[in-house]
Amino acid sequence: MSTHEVVTREITFAEAIREALAEEMRRDSRVCILGEDVAEAGTPFKVLSGLVEEFGTGRVIDTPISEAGFTGLGVGAAMTGIRPVVDIMFGDFITLTMDQMVNQAAKIHYMSGGRWKVPMVMRTTLGAARRSAAQHSQSLHAWFSHVPGLKVVLPSTPYDAKGLLKEAIRHENPVVFFEDKMMYKMKGPVPAEDYTIPLGVADVKRAGEDITFVATSSMVQVALGAADLLAEIGISAEVVDPRTTWPLDEQTIVESVKKTSRAVVLDEGYERYGVTAELAALIAERAFYDLDGPVRRMGAMHVPIPFSPPLEDATIPTPQKLFELAREMCGRS
Amino acid sequence: MSTHEVVTREITFAEAIREALAEEMRRDSRVCILGEDVAEAGTPFKVLSGLVEEFGTGRVIDTPISEAGFTGLGVGAAMTGIRPVVDIMFGDFITLTMDQMVNQAAKIHYMSGGRWKVPMVMRTTLGAARRSAAQHSQSLHAWFSHVPGLKVVLPSTPYDAKGLLKEAIRHENPVVFFEDKMMYKMKGPVPAEDYTIPLGVADVKRAGEDITFVATSSMVQVALGAADLLAEIGISAEVVDPRTTWPLDEQTIVESVKKTSRAVVLDEGYERYGVTAELAALIAERAFYDLDGPVRRMGAMHVPIPFSPPLEDATIPTPQKLFELAREMCGRS
Amino acid sequence: MSTVSSRTETASHADVELWIRMYRQMTAIRLFEERVNELYTRALMPGLAHLYIGEEAVAVGVCEALRREDYITSTHRGHGHCLAKGASPDRMFAELLGKAAGYCKGKGGSMHIADPSTGNLGANAIVAGSVPIATGAAFSSKYLGNGRVAACFFGEGALGQGVVYEEMNLAQLWKLPVIYVCENNLYTEYTHVSETLAGDILARAKSVGMAAETVDGQNVRAVHEAAAKLVERARAGEGPSFLCCNTYRFHGHHVGDINREYYRSKREEQDWKKERDPLAVHAAWLVAQKHADAAQLEQIEAEVKAEIAKAVEFAINAPYPNQEEVDRDVYA
Amino acid sequence: MSTVSSRTETASHADVELWIRMYRQMTAIRLFEERVNELYTRALMPGLAHLYIGEEAVAVGVCEALRREDYITSTHRGHGHCLAKGASPDRMFAELLGKAAGYCKGKGGSMHIADPSTGNLGANAIVAGSVPIATGAAFSSKYLGNGRVAACFFGEGALGQGVVYEEMNLAQLWKLPVIYVCENNLYTEYTHVSETLAGDILARAKSVGMAAETVDGQNVRAVHEAAAKLVERARAGEGPSFLCCNTYRFHGHHVGDINREYYRSKREEQDWKKERDPLAVHAAWLVAQKHADAAQLEQIEAEVKAEIAKAVEFAINAPYPNQEEVDRDVYA
Ligand SMILES: Cc1ncc(C[n+]2csc(CCOP(=O)(O)OP(=O)(O)O)c2C)c(N)n1
Ligand SMILES: Cc1ncc(C[n+]2csc(CCOP(=O)(O)OP(=O)(O)O)c2C)c(N)n1
Ligand SMILES: [Mg+2]
Ligand SMILES: [Mg+2]
């Protein structure tokens, strides 16, 4: 659970995002939004509804379908005094922005010997289960996590979403912010007061003793669901949410596993060469002498996400699957 | 060492690539090459010199500087009866082709329920140390390894390069083939006879007892160099080269580590969320009960590759660094 | 704009057959899409779908100018292209419902229907994603000398994507037999074209030296005549071309886009539906020219309706794929 | 093509000063690049470099039309742009040698020199990579209302990259103060422009409605006059423009590209060097118009030579960065 005390209201994840943007745009006139159908439409997910009415089309800017074009424009704008928040509707479309983000945004500060900086945010989505098929369901955040110069945020609650997004907007580096499309309607407590959450600090979403689940974004709910089921059979699971894959709060993760001696890492991206690989390798290295058994991984099945509902459902980790795995790991199968 | 017997000549890595292409182009008139400065120039690395003279500009085709454009054209051509080999000069430029490779090439077979296929090869490069700075020195193969539907090849010798490239060209799926720029002049034995090497079969480049180095591409030489140094102090290192990161020959890797009980994984990409993470996670899971100590990782330092020689040199694993790490792991520090 | 030559007086039997067939094909698309909307509303279809209603003349006019072995590539709004190129509604509906009998075993869904047997290289959910693929198919045709032509459908929104310009340059440099068919329906999702495209659409194709023309996309004969000429040109080795079809989608961006007044007026929609419905335009012409009478057209509609109903029935009753299908077809 | 207006009769003192300064700047670039080549040949420079010799009039003509706080973006062939915008040769040479005193502490090298103090957003080793960045800088200028203009240099090879068309569309839609300066030197590495670009270069800009013109890139006054007009236009809020400068690189694609006959003839090179050397053209004009005499020009050359020699000396003797620098500046 978060350590903040002032919890006043329940709002949705989408509202948390919108509030973060509105507050930062009020605070700093250099903050603007660029993306497809972000203005009057407020995005297809309606996450930005109302912003153009408050800030006008000079700051909430509809673009052509030019992901590379407006992302790259955002890089140049960030270098020269603007703080753009670039909206990439589906995370699958980051494929079109890799040159801008990786060869430009991530490297400019370093290549210029620290003389230019790129304070921009890319907001995009991840996650399957919407029956959107292979080109609208990917979780490709592992790619950006692999690239020095970028920071990568994966909020799992409205509280985290708001605090992390405000921090990202104020940040001096390019930050990629991944939102699970399936989470937009999820509600949670969010203080009305201004707050930010630093990048690189994990959050223990549930304390436990017997096994650690390290889970990101959408998978935090899966982990919490499994923890509930496990509690019923007397197994106490700890759920650690890194919140950012880079910087990565290694210490919180490793300490949890040292305490519980068992770990499952979960992430909605593909397992292979993905986030679960890094987390598992980290734990296996740094908690080596405390582990009771191998670290286990759960991620998307290594297939393009199928359209057909029964097939799609089979590709994603579920609380039930995690429950069964954890029960077995704790010797209760 | 490779298991082939017929070793007749020493040729360079670049010659091996060229021979593979020439032989396959002679064998199959559908094979053609598309890329920047591939024809008369034979690429800036001169890897393709002579091919246009034999096959003409109808099959060795100079393109505009349109990486997305000609890669995507290659996808469509592969679907309709051609077997294109697309040449992306520097691996850093794959950023421009991600949509074509990931949203299209990798998924078309699956999305069409197996009805279309994409038998194309992308050849590109990896590796630092050429004083080419941050946009011409990356090793980004982890990205493609993360994506189901693609296969990823990383040859480390002229022998492997030729056999794997011929296999890739005959293959029915999209294959990405990464060549270390620094290896083009390296010589090695290559049979004159036609041969191919299946994708997904690791090669033990050196047998040993005390520690396993799992190393890819350029890092195989680093591992062999360290193994030589270790031999001098009585430590016997085994060097396993997976040759393809996908499919991955898990069994050969895991068996080696079970035998030696110690492992270092090496890859020239960034360590974080990269190939070393997958290899380390795999070993830590499947050889868990046989490991003497944690699996260790060596990859590029997590920084954009600097231009300045002393800085660049500090970012890359070396035989000396690996030697020292291995010595310590074997309790001899 | 090309105008339709008035061949009325001298209309051959084949012409009339073609015109009637085009009417039937447009009707099939219209009725297909209406059932898609209904399946969505009744919560029988997983996910969303983008209806082609209002734009039928484009797909039909172009595809009737192609041979079966010619290629097309399609978009997120792809049912019309797929039907026009010859796919059957039953397997299409099955695909839309994620059933094993679908063209892609249910793995692709609405946005990815593909069918090698009719030369359909696939719908594509990446805007402009199929433009390189069509160009590549044209490259193959030229390389193999098999005389095939590729028609590449995309919305005007795709002109925001740089890869389109890369492909047009390549196609023109190499004289590839591809026709770029731009369906300018005035909107990219919820944004008017005037906010997303500067300058002139045709000029973009002409700048690489490509033949380019605009046609009334609500007039199937106009589309067909223009397309036939460009296809012939491409087949004769004279290179690529660009055909801008001015059209309009009568419904929302997708089936769930119901309240549209914040981005376009009801009035605008009504005007298009009333004045420029491609089916009505063509029907009126057929009747006026006495190529068909009202009864004949109603008969066609009834036949198509029955076929579509059967197709929906088939799809609803078809089984889902087995779970083991999930990791098949990843690699060939 | 724009032609240079003949202001000779009425040349003001300021004009003459400008013309002389342009000569000095071109000379500085020429001599700088000659030393780069020499450093490479003597194996004192790590890696490769792309020389700007032959193209000096473009960078100088454009940059003399800009203010210090205006922005430029540059390319792999970027030393000329950097010098023309006001950078000092000593820190540039230091960067080229990977020394700590370099503009980027040696971390960038030849292909990444950047300098905020002169508005240089950076050279870029991705062809067309800086086009979005310049457009973004122009976006900022407009957003902040600070009156700055961005000049975006790129080779004609960059026109192969789709992102250029995305940016031109955005810039024109939003009337951004950016000037796209295309350096058409006829080759992309080892391939002639006729093999890589179909159609007409200017038409590509004009297709989005952008003002576009071509100028003789070997005539520094012609470049300057055209650029000054476009910069003024941009500063006045009239939007972006495109300036195609016809030019030629006298040396290889990079310092190691010695045998070039397989892609262009010695004859072609000699003709350009003899007839169209931008320094010679401008010197001849200055002398013919009596704005300078030979002695004055020699004097300039001598001064510049001495400055460059000192700069090289400085760079050679400068220390490399400390090893601890390697992981600094990854994050701000
Ligand atoms: C690369 C990419 N960006 C954004 C989207 C989201 N999207 C789907 S359809 C669409 C609008 C397409 O407009 P247009 O090309 O004109 O086709 P239309 O829908 O009008 O037929 C957008 C933005 C997408 N699918 N792909
Ligand atoms: C995206 C990308 N593709 C390829 C290259 C390799 N490359 C470097 S310079 C160059 C040619 C550039 O030609 P042009 O833009 O005309 O500039 P010029 O060298 O003639 O000044 C190429 C292909 C690159 N640096 N970036
Ligand atoms: Mg549209
Ligand atoms: Mg050039």
Side-chain angles (χ1 to χ4, degrees):
Chain A
M1 290 288 111
S2 84
T3 52
H4 276 258
E5 315 297 325
V6 204
V7 174
T8 45
R9 330 151 292 154
E10 295 251 324
I11 62 173
T12 66
F13 194 95
E15 284 162 350
I17 297 287
R18 193 182 311 143
E19 279 191 6
L21 286 162
E23 287 174 20
E24 293 307 301
M25 289 177 83
R26 277 176 216 131
R27 200 183 55 77
D28 184 346
S29 65
R30 299 169 305 169
V31 179
C32 65
I33 297 173
L34 286 159
E36 293 155 21
D37 299 297
V38 293
E40 289 79 10
T43 81
F45 308 110
K46 302 294 171 203
V47 175
L48 306 186
S49 296
L51 294 183
V52 76
E53 286 76 6
E54 177 172 355
F55 300 102
T57 53
R59 293 182 67 194
V60 184
I61 304 167
D62 276 340
T63 64
I65 310 176
S66 307
E67 282 82 2
F70 64 82
T71 300
L73 184 148
V75 175
M79 293 171 75
T80 53
I82 301 294
R83 300 183 87 90
V85 180
V86 161
D87 185 301
I88 302 293
M89 200 183 288
F90 284 82
D92 311 72
F93 311 157
I94 63 167
T95 51
L96 294 159
T97 70
M98 295 307 282
D99 198 66
Q100 310 310 323
M101 293 305 290
V102 173
N103 281 331
Q104 311 299 342
K107 295 179 172 45
I108 282 170
H109 188 64
Y110 190 85
M111 293 192 304
S112 69
R115 300 190 68 209
W116 287 110
K117 49 187 188 159
V118 187
M120 74 184 282
V121 176
M122 172 183 279
R123 284 183 48 247
T124 189
T125 56
L126 59 71
R130 290 178 83 251
R131 317 316 185 197
S132 304
Q135 293 175 339
H136 279 64
S137 306
Q138 293 165 91
S139 303
L140 296 172
H141 48 290
W143 288 352
F144 284 142
S145 308
H146 185 49
V147 177
L150 300 177
K151 298 194 176 181
V152 181
V153 183
L154 293 152
S156 69
T157 66
Y159 177 85
D160 288 353
K162 183 169 177 186
L164 290 164
L165 183 53
K166 284 166 66 90
E167 175 71 21
I169 293 170
R170 297 182 193 179
H171 206 70
E172 298 300 322
N173 299 292
V175 177
V176 190
F177 195 92
F178 282 91
E179 300 161 17
D180 177 12
K181 299 181 282 280
M182 297 301 281
M183 229 148 56
Y184 280 133
K185 294 191 175 146
M186 169 187 158
K187 285 201 160 192
V190 174
E193 290 73 20
D194 181 54
Y195 70 98
T196 61
I197 300 172
L199 309 184
V201 180
D203 188 38
V204 178
K205 291 282 190 256
R206 174 179 178 133
E209 299 300 324
D210 301 324
I211 186 166
T212 297
F213 299 152
V214 184
T216 62
S217 184
S218 50
M219 290 298 110
V220 171
Q221 290 309 314
V222 170
L224 290 172
D228 282 344
L229 297 173
L230 289 163
E232 288 172 23
I233 59 165
I235 295 173
S236 155
E238 178 148 306
V239 178
V240 180
D241 174 2
R243 296 202 288 205
T244 54
T245 49
W246 196 259
L248 182 62
D249 182 351
E250 302 187 4
Q251 197 182 338
T252 302
I253 295 167
V254 170
E255 273 168 16
S256 171
V257 179
K258 283 189 173 171
K259 178 178 72 175
T260 63
S261 76
R262 298 180 188 92
V264 183
V265 296
L266 296 100
D267 176 82
E268 200 175 335
Y270 295 120
E271 269 174 47
R272 291 300 188 164
Y273 302 93
V275 166
T276 62
E278 179 62 37
L279 297 175
L282 167 73
I283 295 169
E285 180 170 345
R286 298 218 9 221
F288 184 80
Y289 298 100
D290 298 279
L291 280 172
D292 254 20
V295 181
R296 301 293 292 272
R297 298 152 67 183
M298 287 183 88
M301 190 185 286
H302 206 66
V303 304
I305 307 297
F307 167 70
S308 186
L311 300 188
E312 183 178 33
D313 290 342
T315 67
I316 315 166
T318 60
Q320 191 60 38
K321 287 183 206 165
L322 177 57
F323 165 75
E324 275 153 30
L325 173 63
R327 188 173 57 172
E328 183 199 308
M329 289 170 72
C330 294
R332 303 280 203 84
S333 47
Chain B
M1 290 285 112
S2 83
T3 50
H4 275 257
E5 314 299 322
V6 203
V7 173
T8 46
R9 330 151 291 156
E10 294 253 324
I11 62 173
T12 66
F13 194 95
E15 284 161 349
I17 297 288
R18 193 182 312 144
E19 278 192 6
L21 285 162
E23 289 174 19
E24 293 307 301
M25 290 177 82
R26 274 175 220 133
R27 201 184 52 79
D28 184 347
S29 65
R30 299 168 306 170
V31 179
C32 65
I33 297 172
L34 287 158
E36 294 156 20
D37 300 296
V38 293
E40 289 78 9
T43 82
F45 308 110
K46 303 294 170 203
V47 176
L48 306 186
S49 297
L51 292 183
V52 75
E53 286 76 5
E54 178 172 355
F55 300 102
T57 53
R59 294 182 68 195
V60 184
I61 303 168
D62 276 340
T63 65
I65 310 176
S66 307
E67 281 83 2
F70 65 81
T71 299
L73 184 148
V75 175
M79 293 171 74
T80 51
I82 301 296
R83 301 184 86 91
V85 180
V86 161
D87 185 300
I88 302 293
M89 199 183 288
F90 284 82
D92 311 71
F93 311 157
I94 63 166
T95 52
L96 295 159
T97 69
M98 295 308 281
D99 197 65
Q100 310 311 323
M101 294 305 290
V102 173
N103 281 330
Q104 312 299 343
K107 295 180 171 46
I108 282 170
H109 188 64
Y110 190 85
M111 294 192 305
S112 70
R115 299 190 68 209
W116 286 112
K117 48 185 191 162
V118 188
M120 74 184 281
V121 176
M122 173 184 278
R123 283 183 49 245
T124 188
T125 56
L126 59 72
R130 290 177 82 250
R131 314 320 185 197
S132 304
Q135 293 174 339
H136 279 66
S137 306
Q138 292 166 92
S139 303
L140 296 172
H141 47 291
W143 288 351
F144 284 141
S145 307
H146 184 50
V147 176
L150 300 178
K151 298 194 176 181
V152 180
V153 183
L154 293 151
S156 69
T157 65
Y159 177 84
D160 288 353
K162 182 170 177 186
L164 290 164
L165 183 52
K166 285 165 67 92
E167 175 70 21
I169 293 170
R170 296 182 194 180
H171 207 69
E172 298 300 322
N173 299 291
V175 178
V176 190
F177 195 92
F178 283 92
E179 300 161 17
D180 177 13
K181 299 182 280 282
M182 298 300 282
M183 230 148 55
Y184 280 133
K185 294 194 174 142
M186 168 187 157
K187 284 201 162 193
V190 175
E193 289 72 20
D194 182 53
Y195 70 98
T196 61
I197 300 172
L199 309 184
V201 180
D203 188 38
V204 177
K205 291 282 191 254
R206 175 179 177 132
E209 299 300 323
D210 301 325
I211 186 165
T212 297
F213 299 151
V214 183
T216 62
S217 184
S218 51
M219 290 299 111
V220 170
Q221 290 309 314
V222 170
L224 291 172
D228 282 343
L229 296 173
L230 288 163
E232 287 173 23
I233 59 165
I235 295 173
S236 156
E238 179 148 306
V239 178
V240 179
D241 174 2
R243 297 202 287 206
T244 54
T245 48
W246 197 259
L248 182 62
D249 182 351
E250 302 187 4
Q251 195 182 339
T252 302
I253 294 168
V254 169
E255 272 169 15
S256 171
V257 179
K258 284 189 173 170
K259 178 179 73 176
T260 63
S261 75
R262 299 178 187 94
V264 183
V265 296
L266 295 100
D267 176 81
E268 199 175 336
Y270 295 119
E271 268 174 48
R272 291 299 188 165
Y273 303 92
V275 166
T276 63
E278 179 62 36
L279 297 175
L282 168 73
I283 294 168
E285 180 170 345
R286 300 217 10 220
F288 183 82
Y289 298 100
D290 299 279
L291 279 173
D292 254 20
V295 181
R296 301 294 293 273
R297 296 153 67 184
M298 288 183 87
M301 191 184 287
H302 207 64
V303 303
I305 307 298
F307 167 69
S308 186
L311 301 188
E312 183 177 32
D313 289 342
T315 67
I316 314 165
T318 60
Q320 190 61 37
K321 288 183 206 165
L322 177 57
F323 165 75
E324 275 153 30
L325 173 63
R327 187 174 57 174
E328 183 199 307
M329 290 170 70
C330 294
R332 303 279 203 83
S333 47
Chain C
M1 288 227 188
S2 349
T3 50
V4 180
S5 54
S6 65
R7 296 191 281 179
T8 322
E9 305 306 313
T10 61
S12 69
H13 183 68
D15 282 339
V16 175
E17 226 174 46
L18 170 69
W19 295 329
I20 299 284
R21 188 167 61 245
M22 294 201 295
Y23 183 76
R24 176 185 290 269
Q25 289 289 71
M26 291 199 294
T27 304
I29 296 172
R30 176 70 52 97
L31 296 178
F32 183 96
E33 295 293 56
E34 283 173 357
R35 294 306 298 269
V36 171
N37 203 26
E38 189 194 316
L39 287 167
Y40 170 76
T41 315
R42 290 170 56 203
L44 286 172
M45 185 181 67
L48 296 169
H50 306 81
L51 304 182
Y52 199 64
I53 293 177
E55 310 190 22
E56 295 90 343
V58 179
V60 172
V62 171
C63 289
E64 285 296 330
L66 298 173
R67 301 182 185 153
R68 189 177 179 90
E69 69 270 22
D70 287 335
Y71 297 111
I72 63 163
T73 63
S74 165
T75 68
H76 57 286
R77 198 175 302 290
H79 308 162
H81 312 132
C82 190
L83 282 163
K85 194 67 177 46
S88 357
D90 50 359
R91 294 190 62 193
M92 284 182 64
F93 277 121
E95 188 60 35
L96 264 58
L97 301 191
K99 302 300 182 70
Y103 272 110
C104 311
K105 304 185 191 163
K107 292 179 178 177
S110 165
M111 293 202 288
H112 302 292
I113 299 190
D115 176 25
S117 71
T118 55
N120 184 345
L121 290 157
N124 211 303
I126 300 296
V127 169
S130 70
V131 178
I133 293 172
T135 312
F139 176 88
S140 282
S141 299
K142 180 156 187 193
Y143 189 99
L144 299 169
N146 62 19
R148 298 188 188 180
V149 164
C152 175
F153 294 98
F154 52 86
E156 89 292 348
L159 295 174
Q161 296 286 22
V163 76
V164 172
Y165 305 91
E166 300 188 16
E167 298 305 327
M168 292 202 296
N169 185 49
L170 289 165
Q172 185 66 22
L173 274 174
W174 300 342
K175 294 262 178 293
L176 304 181
V178 54
I179 295 110
Y180 297 105
V181 182
C182 177
E183 308 181 311
N184 181 9
N185 65 6
L186 300 179
Y187 295 89
T188 57
E189 290 196 347
Y190 319 110
T191 303
H192 191 264
V193 60
S194 57
E195 289 180 54
T196 58
L197 292 182
D200 178 47
I201 290 182
L202 282 200
R204 291 160 183 248
K206 287 182 181 161
S207 74
V208 298
M210 195 180 291
E213 58 188 90
T214 298
V215 76
D216 175 1
Q218 305 310 88
N219 182 328
V220 71
R221 286 177 310 121
V223 174
H224 179 261
E225 230 177 81
K229 199 183 61 190
L230 298 176
V231 167
E232 208 172 298
R233 232 184 132 265
R235 221 182 298 280
E238 289 166 40
S241 55
F242 188 99
L243 182 63
C244 182
C245 303
N246 289 330
T247 185
Y248 197 78
R249 63 167 155 78
F250 287 3
H251 288 239
H253 169 60
H254 56 62
V255 285
D257 172 26
I258 306 296
N259 300 314
R260 300 187 283 273
E261 280 177 276
Y262 70 90
Y263 72 89
R264 68 186 202 186
S265 68
K266 281 223 162 100
R267 178 65 196 268
E268 179 182 293
E269 293 190 0
Q270 271 154 12
D271 285 353
W272 277 88
K273 287 184 197 171
K274 220 169 25 195
E275 317 288 339
R276 305 189 62 190
D277 182 322
L279 274 73
V281 167
H282 192 47
W285 181 85
L286 287 171
V287 173
Q289 302 294 318
K290 304 213 163 51
H291 297 310
D293 59 23
Q296 226 178 317
L297 299 184
E298 271 162 37
Q299 162 80 10
I300 289 174
E301 202 178 312
E303 283 168 21
V304 170
K305 195 170 246 160
E307 193 197 352
I308 297 284
K310 239 177 81 184
V312 171
E313 203 55 27
F314 166 81
I316 289 178
N317 295 325
Y320 283 114
N322 289 332
Q323 279 257 53
E324 305 90 72
E325 271 296 332
V326 69
D327 59 358
R328 289 186 192 151
D329 300 323
V330 180
Y331 294 98
Chain D
M1 288 228 188
S2 352
T3 52
V4 181
S5 54
S6 67
R7 297 191 283 180
T8 323
E9 304 307 310
T10 61
S12 70
H13 184 67
D15 282 340
V16 175
E17 226 173 46
L18 170 68
W19 295 329
I20 299 286
R21 189 166 60 246
M22 294 200 296
Y23 183 75
R24 176 184 291 270
Q25 289 289 71
M26 291 199 293
T27 304
I29 296 171
R30 176 71 52 98
L31 296 179
F32 184 96
E33 295 293 56
E34 283 174 356
R35 294 305 296 269
V36 172
N37 203 23
E38 189 194 316
L39 287 167
Y40 170 76
T41 316
R42 289 170 55 203
L44 287 171
M45 185 181 68
L48 296 169
H50 307 80
L51 304 182
Y52 200 64
I53 292 176
E55 311 190 21
E56 294 90 344
V58 179
V60 171
V62 171
C63 289
E64 283 297 328
L66 298 172
R67 300 181 186 154
R68 190 177 179 89
E69 69 270 21
D70 286 336
Y71 297 111
I72 63 163
T73 61
S74 164
T75 68
H76 58 286
R77 197 175 304 289
H79 308 160
H81 312 132
C82 191
L83 282 163
K85 194 65 176 50
S88 356
D90 50 0
R91 295 189 60 193
M92 285 183 63
F93 276 122
E95 189 60 36
L96 265 59
L97 301 192
K99 302 299 182 72
Y103 272 108
C104 310
K105 304 185 190 164
K107 292 179 178 177
S110 164
M111 292 202 289
H112 303 291
I113 299 190
D115 178 25
S117 71
T118 55
N120 185 346
L121 290 156
N124 211 304
I126 300 296
V127 169
S130 70
V131 178
I133 293 172
T135 312
F139 177 88
S140 283
S141 300
K142 180 158 188 193
Y143 190 99
L144 299 170
N146 63 18
R148 296 188 190 181
V149 164
C152 176
F153 294 98
F154 53 85
E156 89 290 349
L159 295 173
Q161 296 286 23
V163 77
V164 172
Y165 304 91
E166 300 188 16
E167 299 305 327
M168 292 202 297
N169 185 50
L170 289 165
Q172 184 66 22
L173 274 174
W174 300 341
K175 293 265 178 288
L176 303 181
V178 53
I179 295 108
Y180 298 103
V181 183
C182 177
E183 308 181 310
N184 181 8
N185 65 6
L186 300 180
Y187 295 88
T188 58
E189 291 195 349
Y190 320 109
T191 304
H192 192 263
V193 60
S194 58
E195 288 179 56
T196 58
L197 292 182
D200 179 46
I201 289 181
L202 281 200
R204 291 160 183 248
K206 287 181 181 161
S207 74
V208 298
M210 195 180 291
E213 57 188 271
T214 298
V215 75
D216 176 1
Q218 306 309 89
N219 182 327
V220 72
R221 286 178 309 122
V223 174
H224 178 262
E225 230 177 80
K229 199 182 61 188
L230 298 176
V231 167
E232 208 172 299
R233 233 184 132 265
R235 220 181 298 280
E238 289 165 40
S241 55
F242 187 100
L243 182 62
C244 181
C245 303
N246 289 330
T247 184
Y248 197 79
R249 64 167 155 76
F250 287 3
H251 288 238
H253 169 60
H254 57 61
V255 286
D257 172 26
I258 305 297
N259 300 315
R260 300 186 284 273
E261 279 175 279
Y262 71 90
Y263 70 90
R264 68 186 203 187
S265 69
K266 281 223 162 100
R267 179 62 196 269
E268 178 182 294
E269 293 190 0
Q270 270 153 13
D271 284 352
W272 277 89
K273 288 184 197 169
K274 220 169 25 198
E275 317 288 339
R276 304 191 60 190
D277 182 323
L279 275 73
V281 166
H282 192 47
W285 181 84
L286 286 171
V287 172
Q289 302 294 320
K290 302 213 164 52
H291 298 310
D293 59 22
Q296 226 177 317
L297 299 184
E298 270 162 37
Q299 163 80 10
I300 289 172
E301 202 178 311
E303 282 167 22
V304 170
K305 194 170 245 159
E307 193 197 351
I308 297 284
K310 239 176 84 185
V312 172
E313 201 58 25
F314 166 82
I316 289 177
N317 295 326
Y320 282 115
N322 289 332
Q323 278 256 52
E324 305 90 71
E325 271 297 331
V326 69
D327 60 0
R328 290 187 192 149
D329 301 321
V330 180
Y331 294 98

